[in-house]
Amino acid sequence: MTTADIGLIGLAVMGSNLALNIAEKGYTIAVNNRSPARIDEFVTMAKEQGLAGKVIPKADLAEFVQAVSRPRSIIIMVKAGAPVDAMIEQLLPHLEQGDAIIECGNSLFTDTQRRFDYLKPKGIGYLGAGVSGGEEGARHGPSIMVGGSKEQWHNAEDVLTAIAAKFNGESCCAYLGEGGAGHFVKTIHNGIEYGDMQMIAEVYGVMRDGLGMAPQACADVFKEWNRGPLNSYLIEITGHVLAAIDEPTGKPLVELILDKAGQKGTGVWSAIAAQQMGVPATAIEGAVAARSISSRKDERIAAEKIYGKRSAGKADVTLADLEQALLAGKIVSYAQGFAVIAKASDENGWKLPLSTIAKIWRAGCIIRSRFLDQMAAAYAKGDNANLLIVPDFVTLMKENHGALRKVVAAGAVGEFPLICLSAALSYFDSYRQAQGTANLIQGQRDFFGAHGFEIEGRGKDLHGEWPSTLGN
Ligand code: NDP
């Protein structure tokens, strides 16, 4: 009987494309799906692409597991949440010591950690792998962030590194750490993605409303920017989205799309993780908040009736200012995202390699960019310092924060919401300010709660002689 190199359960968009990618790289893959009709559809797809010979379809779960060579690596690509737990329970009776489940969906990293801990004593390996790049990436080369059982990673390493995107010949797949490390990194990737997208949208808002630019003119600018330091997948697709025409009306499509953004939760998870660890990630938080505000369309319409439309005229910024502001905002956002990863690494003992993470984000994933190559090089040189104090990025911030300041100021005066860009600027200004204002906060905390404060040379946990405010 032919045995498969690997198995995959869940043949929806992501799973089927990943399976075709695996088959195309020369590996034999056994496939299974809850609804058998989907397996038939997949086999037809594989035939059309000349890959049927590499596919072993099995509708029966026991037969599916038996078809995979030992020690088994079984990818599950089903809906995140309870279906993953259900799938694990169904698989367990059929697995043997040393086999591994590789869960490739968008799972919450704490769930992955829990599943890893649950399966470890049973002798079953558990790998949580974040896969980025959407449908296209899954088919032709995603970025794959792997965490979990290291021993079993080595059993699947060849397949996963072969199917991942390549940057200068290097695979954009890496093992990052134990337990939920891979899914944690994928979550922060998505948080950073939220920040990138929101900052781009804010700059588009200034172009549209402050500079009176039509979508095609904006598209041309993004196309141009994609040849410079902002070169990235998101800048590239922004140009395409802005240039698209709606066929029935002949109008720019972007002008017809409702200004309500959806979200599936990974941005929120990033913000929560950052907050829980006490790491400021204001750009991610701003981006999540901006999506929430966008979804409240009715409230915004009502509020505009109360306050009136923005009255200010043309924004006093140039396109060069906007390009530089976007670059500075992006550096701050990545500095925050990587700071969250560094802290999680310390707290969980994951030893997350920041340089490797930047490297495997250089291709395949949604935030892929030229900039990440610079970041990988910077982190490869030394420790996990905040990007804002890493020499190459210090130079970039010195060159570009003035433009960010100018754009944020123009936003304030011109009544343009710049939630993410202004959050990035405020973080930068707070981070680089040796003398802040928390002395006053500590005074207030001691006044109402006797929380104490520190005075250099006089010690910690000191208290003030505050006047009584009872009765006021
Ligand atoms: P979906 O998230 O839409 O999930 C559909 C698949 O899950 C089907 O195969 C379905 O089987 C199976 N399924 C659902 N519930 C159960 C259950 N209780 N038991 C067994 N199987 C079940 O598929 P996608 O391909 O869109 O995504 C898969 C994973 O990848 C998700 O975690 C998603 O968040 C993540 N992801 C998705 C991306 C995308 O662009 N779509 C990008 C990156 C990650 P059936 O056919 O029987 O209904």
Side-chain angles (χ1 to χ4, degrees), residues 4-191:
D5 299 302
I6 195 160
L8 184 144
I9 303 173
L11 291 168
V13 181
M14 291 298 283
S16 54
N17 279 293
L18 215 54
L20 291 170
N21 186 353
I22 291 170
E24 190 181 62
K25 298 296 176 301
Y27 298 97
T28 304
I29 180 164
V31 293
N32 172 275
N33 191 75
R34 181 181 58 176
S35 318
R38 191 72 200 120
I39 305 179
D40 299 338
E41 284 167 29
F42 175 77
V43 170
T44 306
M45 224 188 315
K47 270 188 192 140
E48 284 165 4
Q49 300 188 26
L51 298 168
K54 289 285 170 193
V55 172
I56 304 177
K58 292 283 180 191
D60 178 82
L61 199 61
E63 287 181 18
F64 161 80
V65 174
Q66 285 307 314
V68 182
S69 62
R70 295 200 60 210
R72 301 183 180 91
S73 299
I74 295 180
I75 295 176
I76 51 179
M77 200 51 161
V78 301
K79 202 176 264 310
V84 174
D85 290 306
M87 211 55 253
I88 292 171
E89 289 308 323
Q90 288 170 49
L91 268 174
L92 257 180
H94 306 292
L95 298 178
E96 294 166 83
Q97 295 269 320
D99 289 349
I101 294 171
I102 309 173
E103 199 268 302
C104 291
N106 266 341
S107 288
L108 180 59
F109 71 97
T110 47
D111 283 344
T112 304
Q113 184 70 47
R114 169 177 57 75
R115 292 164 185 152
F116 169 85
D117 293 337
Y118 170 64
L119 291 172
K120 197 173 177 176
K122 300 183 193 303
I124 305 296
Y126 194 75
L127 291 151
V131 175
S132 177
E135 183 179 345
E136 177 87 4
R139 178 65 184 87
H140 299 292
S143 169
I144 309 179
M145 297 144 251
V146 187
S149 319
K150 193 161 190 181
E151 196 186 320
Q152 276 86 359
W153 149 249
H154 292 303
N155 300 335
E157 185 174 356
D158 285 352
V159 179
L160 297 181
T161 50
I163 63 166
K166 307 288 177 302
F167 184 91
N168 289 344
E170 286 181 78
S171 175
C172 290
C173 169
Y175 175 85
L176 301 171
E178 286 244 306
H183 276 137
F184 181 82
V185 171
K186 170 65 174 17
T187 296
I188 302 304
H189 163 283
N190 285 24

Side-chain angles (χ1 to χ4, degrees), residues 155-435:
N155 300 335
E157 185 174 356
D158 285 352
V159 179
L160 297 181
T161 50
I163 63 166
K166 307 288 177 302
F167 184 91
N168 289 344
E170 286 181 78
S171 175
C172 290
C173 169
Y175 175 85
L176 301 171
E178 286 244 306
H183 276 137
F184 181 82
V185 171
K186 170 65 174 17
T187 296
I188 302 304
H189 163 283
N190 285 24
I192 291 173
E193 175 187 311
Y194 271 55
D196 273 356
M197 292 169 74
Q198 178 60 26
M199 286 184 195
I200 291 171
E202 289 175 4
V203 163
Y204 153 68
V206 178
M207 287 178 179
R208 182 188 67 185
D209 301 332
L211 301 179
M213 291 169 63
Q216 184 57 56
C218 298
D220 293 342
V221 172
F222 279 98
K223 210 170 157 190
E224 182 60 33
W225 286 356
N226 201 36
R227 288 193 270 268
L230 286 172
N231 170 271
S232 60
Y233 172 71
L234 282 171
I235 292 287
E236 182 192 342
I237 67 162
T238 300
H240 292 306
V241 172
L242 286 163
I245 298 294
D246 172 59
E247 279 194 15
T249 61
K251 290 183 177 167
L253 181 63
V254 72
E255 289 186 343
L256 301 175
I257 300 175
L258 214 56
D259 60 337
K260 289 166 78 170
Q263 49 183 321
K264 284 191 176 166
T266 45
V268 174
W269 293 348
S270 299
I272 291 173
Q275 289 278 6
Q276 281 176 336
M277 292 185 295
V279 183
T282 56
I284 296 172
E285 289 163 7
V288 172
R291 286 204 193 182
S292 302
I293 294 176
S294 84
S295 70
R296 291 171 162 78
K297 178 89 175 164
D298 292 344
E299 276 181 65
R300 288 189 286 117
I301 291 171
E304 187 176 275
K305 284 198 180 117
I306 296 168
Y307 289 101
K309 283 184 187 295
R310 60 174 285 272
S311 52
K314 198 171 171 300
D316 185 18
V317 290
T318 64
L319 291 173
D321 291 331
L322 291 175
E323 183 182 19
Q324 285 184 276
L326 204 45
L327 184 60
K330 188 168 162 145
I331 293 170
V332 173
S333 174
Y334 281 64
Q336 294 180 345
F338 273 85
V340 176
I341 292 174
K343 178 73 171 167
S345 179
D346 287 348
E347 284 204 357
N348 296 286
W350 284 333
K351 299 191 178 69
L352 294 174
L354 299 193
S355 176
T356 303
I357 292 168
K359 274 186 178 179
I360 63 170
W361 287 351
R362 290 177 303 178
C365 66
I366 304 296
I367 64 169
R368 60 185 181 260
S369 67
R370 176 190 293 183
F371 173 82
L372 277 158
D373 196 30
Q374 272 172 286
M375 204 174 295
Y379 278 129
K381 279 185 209 163
D383 58 5
N384 291 351
N386 186 303
L387 208 58
L388 292 179
I389 54 170
V390 170
D392 291 353
F393 288 87
V394 169
T395 308
L396 282 172
M397 279 310 288
K398 283 186 175 173
E399 286 167 2
N400 295 295
H401 79 86
L404 177 58
R405 201 168 298 289
K406 193 173 164 194
V407 169
V408 170
V413 173
E415 302 171 33
F416 302 104
L418 301 175
I419 292 188
C420 223
L421 287 170
S422 59
L425 179 64
S426 290
Y427 172 88
F428 174 67
D429 285 339
S430 305
Y431 188 77
R432 55 174 277 205
Q433 185 185 42
Q435 176 60 44

